[in-house]
Amino acid sequence: MKKLVAYYSASGVTARKAKDLASEVGADVYEIVPAQKYTSADLDWTNRKSRSTLEMRDPSSRPELAEKTTELSGYDTVYIGFPIWWGVAPRVINTFIENNDLAGKKIGIFATSGGTGISAAIKDLQKKYPDLDICGGKLLNGSVKGDIL
């Protein structure tokens, strides 16, 4: 069974956890990169007009990716990681999920957060993508030990 850890990281925190998880489970690593990278101003959640705020207020927002699709056919399990934004996954994660064929794959979710739990993010993704096998996941703010599923 081949595994992939796909992640989006705004500040590098999620990237470190993704690499730790990949090492723990023997997975390949793939960075989800927006076509237009986020600046510090874009990520200012206190600014009602910042890019991240506008995207998160619009449930249909789908930021474009640098690579439209990712070759996932050789993987049985895909872990998807991100920082929690407004209690859920950043919209760029929706773009990744919708642009790629994840049917038949076991999907684990992991996240980093400064104070919000992961359960709402997992439930939101399960609700949006009921045909996918999103098995749950874990908040990875501390050290990464073993598999998250």
Side-chain angles (χ1 to χ4, degrees):
M1 289 207 334
K2 208 165 170 199
K3 300 174 182 178
L4 177 71
V5 172
Y7 71 92
Y8 165 69
S9 186
S11 66
V13 173
T14 306
R16 287 190 294 278
K17 298 303 177 180
K19 291 170 187 169
D20 291 348
L21 177 61
S23 177
E24 285 288 314
V25 300
D28 295 333
V29 179
Y30 176 79
E31 182 178 6
I32 300 166
V33 179
Q36 179 185 352
K37 294 197 178 188
Y38 292 86
T39 66
S40 295
D42 290 337
L43 296 169
D44 181 2
W45 60 273
T46 63
N47 178 349
R48 298 183 59 174
K49 295 188 183 213
S50 74
R51 177 177 164 202
S52 60
T53 300
L54 294 174
E55 287 176 0
M56 295 310 291
R57 287 164 122 185
D58 178 3
S60 67
S61 176
R62 296 296 182 267
E64 195 173 325
L65 299 175
E67 291 183 15
K68 303 285 185 230
T69 60
T70 307
E71 179 52 53
L72 302 176
S73 63
Y75 298 100
D76 303 297
T77 303
V78 178
Y79 300 88
I80 301 173
F82 48 84
I84 300 282
W85 286 8
W86 287 260
V88 296
R91 302 291 184 224
V92 71
I93 296 300
N94 300 104
T95 308
F96 175 78
I97 291 171
E98 292 168 14
N99 284 8
N100 289 286
D101 183 7
L102 292 162
K105 299 183 187 316
K106 186 175 183 179
I107 300 169
I109 304 298
F110 68 96
T112 56
S113 172
T116 304
I118 193 172
S119 62
I122 292 171
K123 287 177 186 168
D124 180 63
L125 292 171
Q126 289 170 328
K127 182 179 176 185
K128 284 180 179 159
Y129 308 105
D131 294 338
L132 296 181
D133 185 15
I134 299 174
C135 305
K138 189 173 182 181
L139 194 64
L140 296 180
N141 282 344
S143 60
V144 180
K145 301 271 191 238
D147 203 333
I148 63 168
L149 294 175

